[in-house]
Amino acid sequence: MHAAADGGLARIRVPGGRLTASQLRELADAATACGTGVIELTSRANVQVRGLGEESGFAARMAAAGLLPSLTHERIRNILASPLTGCDAAGTLDVGPLVADLDRRLCARPALAELPGRFLFALDDGRGDVAWLDPDAAILPTGAQETALILAGADSGLRVPLASAVAALLAAAEAFLAELAVRDVHAWRIGELPGGVEPVATRVRIALETGSAGPPRLVPPAERMRAEPPPAAGGPVGAVGRPGGGVALGVAVPLGRLTSAQAELLAELAAGGEVRLTPWRGVVLPGLDRAGLPRAVARLADAGLVTDPESPWIGVTACTGRPGCAKSLADVQADAARATAPGAEPTAGTPGTIAPRVADSPRTGTLPVHWAGCDRRCGRPRGRVADVVATGAGYRLDLDGRSLTCADIEQTTAALAAVRGET
Ligand code: SF4
């Protein structure tokens, strides 16, 4: 729990973004009973709940729901996984079982409790969607029985037997701590280590050499993979699946803020009993019945959730803003909602909660937009982004090194429509 301007803020790690339907229901119920009733989705596929009192009992409820399995290791259970893994043919490996295995083995190693809370693992199923999202240590399959180890956003050159994939990630975390100790330096991430990632890769190779699955291979620099550009803003949105099988439905959550009612609906629709949070602040519902898909899509739209990849909400993000952040010069969440879907207004009684009207706005282009209450621009996505920064007297729109000052929300909305349409 952290102190924020609007009360206690709890962040709950959700390895692989995987929640059971009953956990999501309990989260929604506890967010309403103890906090603002909004579940914020983060770029690490974790969740946050705001407005909590010290004696709210929120943590005890989360622990009872199985969402706080390790008090010693809670901060470091940061694990991304491809959200659509196992749902379609785009990935070559179902990394679902590896998520649970990595989480369990991570929590079982007392020394790893010393990892910085910013350290991030990623399990990519071969589609390349999370391996390049700036994790410290990631696996990316390169064949049926082999996976590449990605360190700090670069191919380390190590090719690890699939059976050793989790061991390689744990070895990378231990190698990072060992490098910090021998150099007597402080760093939050592998990429911040003086001297680069090579010493970490060397330690991992040595650690795995005696593994029962066989030693890793080291490929020369010319054969190493290059970092891929980040996937499209918004992550998976819409239905995907295998012919003749069930479908997985990607659902975008406007501004990554899930109301308790929306969360209850997602839990109800989760046919497989599982809901997957994505690093793009959205949700995937795996295992849906094709026949029931139109009805599910209609109910989600009625609830203000988005399943149309052409929606103007795709790619729009915002920092906390007022009232949750004392530094903010504006209620950026409400302003972002007004600019994205005219007619969307904050819901009375729940500060910052928006009621989007998805159908009201035409698609205005694919350029990601990030709204921020001050120049720190917390939560800004990587890559080319139109920044909308509160100035105290309106907003400033920054794009490609150029700035435009907008005196009010109407001017800002018009300017954004122009740049998103690239006119
Ligand atoms: S960008 Fe500024 S206003 Fe927004 S959350 Fe960060 S510090 Fe607060």
Side-chain angles (χ1 to χ4, degrees), residues 133-210:
L133 280 182
D134 200 28
D136 291 87
I139 57 147
L140 176 62
T142 50
Q145 293 301 322
E146 195 175 68
T147 177
L149 180 66
I150 311 295
L151 294 175
D155 183 355
S156 69
L158 285 178
R159 299 293 180 264
V160 178
L162 201 51
S164 299
V166 169
L169 294 173
L170 295 168
E174 288 173 337
F176 172 61
L177 289 179
E179 284 297 312
L180 289 181
V182 296
R183 293 160 187 250
D184 195 21
V185 295
H186 176 76
W188 297 104
R189 313 286 309 269
I190 287 182
E192 297 170 7
L193 273 177
V197 303
E198 283 301 324
V200 173
T202 301
R203 284 180 184 271
V204 172
R205 186 156 53 89
I206 293 168
L208 296 182
E209 251 161 16
T210 56

Side-chain angles (χ1 to χ4, degrees), residues 50 318-322 324-330 332 370-380 389-390:
R50 295 180 165 274
C319 79
T320 299
R322 283 183 190 156
C325 178
K327 290 191 174 68
S328 184
L329 299 170
V332 288
H370 184 65
W371 292 70
C374 77
D375 269 316
R376 286 184 65 181
R377 307 176 195 212
C378 301
R380 182 187 192 276
V389 183

Side-chain angles (χ1 to χ4, degrees), residues 48-49 63 89 100 109 133 174 195-196 240 310 314 357 370 410:
Q48 295 183 162
V49 174
R109 299 194 182 195
L133 280 182
E174 288 173 337
V240 299
E310 296 297 311
I314 307 300
R357 290 167 52 181
H370 184 65
E410 284 72 26

Side-chain angles (χ1 to χ4, degrees), residues 52-352:
L52 300 167
E54 274 184 28
E55 305 296 330
S56 68
F58 183 78
R61 291 185 64 167
M62 294 302 96
L67 289 166
L68 287 176
S70 170
L71 290 180
T72 51
H73 289 64
E74 167 58 19
R75 284 179 315 108
I76 64 154
R77 299 171 63 236
N78 297 303
I79 303 172
L80 297 182
S82 299
L84 288 173
T85 191
C87 297
D88 61 5
T92 56
L93 168 73
D94 183 351
V95 295
L98 300 186
V99 173
D101 189 28
L102 174 59
D103 188 27
R104 183 179 52 76
R105 290 164 68 178
L106 187 62
C107 293
R109 299 194 182 195
L112 290 181
E114 299 304 317
L115 273 180
R118 294 183 193 170
F119 198 94
L120 180 63
F121 298 95
L123 295 157
D124 195 301
D125 72 352
R127 73 185 72 214
D129 59 346
V130 296
W132 309 111
L133 280 182
D134 200 28
D136 291 87
I139 57 147
L140 176 62
T142 50
Q145 293 301 322
E146 195 175 68
T147 177
L149 180 66
I150 311 295
L151 294 175
D155 183 355
S156 69
L158 285 178
R159 299 293 180 264
V160 178
L162 201 51
S164 299
V166 169
L169 294 173
L170 295 168
E174 288 173 337
F176 172 61
L177 289 179
E179 284 297 312
L180 289 181
V182 296
R183 293 160 187 250
D184 195 21
V185 295
H186 176 76
W188 297 104
R189 313 286 309 269
I190 287 182
E192 297 170 7
L193 273 177
V197 303
E198 283 301 324
V200 173
T202 301
R203 284 180 184 271
V204 172
R205 186 156 53 89
I206 293 168
L208 296 182
E209 251 161 16
T210 56
S212 58
R217 285 193 306 132
L218 183 63
V219 301
E223 293 178 24
R224 296 180 190 178
M225 291 179 285
R226 293 182 184 277
E228 298 282 338
V237 179
V240 299
R242 291 193 169 93
V247 291
L249 184 61
V251 182
V253 178
L255 303 181
R257 294 165 59 81
L258 199 58
T259 66
S260 291
Q262 290 170 337
E264 294 276 1
L265 175 60
L266 289 167
E268 181 192 332
L269 294 175
E274 180 188 52
V275 176
R276 300 181 187 172
L277 311 180
T278 78
W280 302 276
R281 299 182 172 93
V283 173
V284 166
L285 294 172
L288 296 187
D289 173 31
R290 280 179 191 273
L293 191 61
R295 170 96 178 114
V297 166
R299 292 187 65 193
L300 291 164
D302 285 347
L305 295 169
V306 177
T307 55
D308 176 5
E310 296 297 311
S311 165
W313 287 102
I314 307 300
V316 179
T317 53
C319 79
T320 299
R322 283 183 190 156
C325 178
K327 290 191 174 68
S328 184
L329 299 170
D331 183 348
V332 288
Q333 303 256 349
D335 286 344
R338 287 191 191 99
T340 307
E345 297 292 341
T347 302
T350 49

